[in-house]
């Protein structure tokens, strides 16, 4: 997932790019996954409460990255956006890939859509909409034979 969402960087908010510049994209994505939509207090760790807060953060991204982020924010709180647009695009691309792969193996489209709806907690109508309307990933998986 990390490499796929990195390809969708244009859909990520600027604040996520800033955090990724400090701690890297994998740690940033772990932050989004765990804390997306919340504001994190980023204390310097000067007192017992600050050290406890940094310890919670370190469980998600590691001690070094937690220290880097706390130093970068200089004790100011940091809002972690949910990155809905990028995550939804990633989900839709994954659904389309799973659909195409399952149909290629001989499963009926109706059966595949039902399975994907259950697996993704979406309606079958929504899965059909995703499969029909999601443009393919911008990065080609096969080389162009004519260029």
């Amino acid at each position: 997932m990390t490499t796929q969402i990195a390809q969708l960087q244009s859909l990520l908010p600027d604040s996520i790019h800033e955090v990724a510049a400090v701690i890297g994209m994998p740690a940033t994505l772990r932050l989004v996954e765990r804390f997306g939509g919340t504001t994190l207090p980023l204390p310097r760790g000067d007192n017992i409460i600050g050290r406890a807060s940094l310890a919670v953060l370190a469980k998600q991204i590691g001690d070094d990255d937690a220290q880097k982020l706390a130093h970068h924010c200089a004790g100011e709180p940091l809002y972690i956006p949910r990155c809905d647009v990028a995550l939804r695009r990633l989900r839709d691309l994954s659904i389309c890939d799973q659909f195409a792969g399952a149909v290629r193996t001989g499963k009926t489209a109706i059966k595949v859509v039902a399975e994907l709806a259950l697996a993704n907690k979406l309606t079958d109508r929504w899965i059909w909409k995703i499969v029909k309307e999601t443009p393919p990933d911008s990065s080609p998986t096969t080389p162009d034979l004519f260029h």
Side-chain angles (χ1 to χ4, degrees), residues 88-89 91-103 108-117 120 122-137:
R88 197 173 313 114
R89 172 75 174 150
R91 178 204 65 194
D92 292 354
L93 289 171
S94 175
I95 286 171
C96 289
D97 287 346
Q98 291 173 50
F99 177 83
V103 169
T108 66
I110 293 172
K111 180 173 176 72
V112 174
V113 166
E115 291 171 356
L116 288 170
N120 290 281
L122 297 170
T123 65
D124 59 348
R125 290 180 181 189
W126 198 254
I127 297 294
W128 279 117
K129 181 176 173 62
I130 289 170
V131 168
K132 290 178 181 180
E133 296 178 5
T134 301
D137 194 359

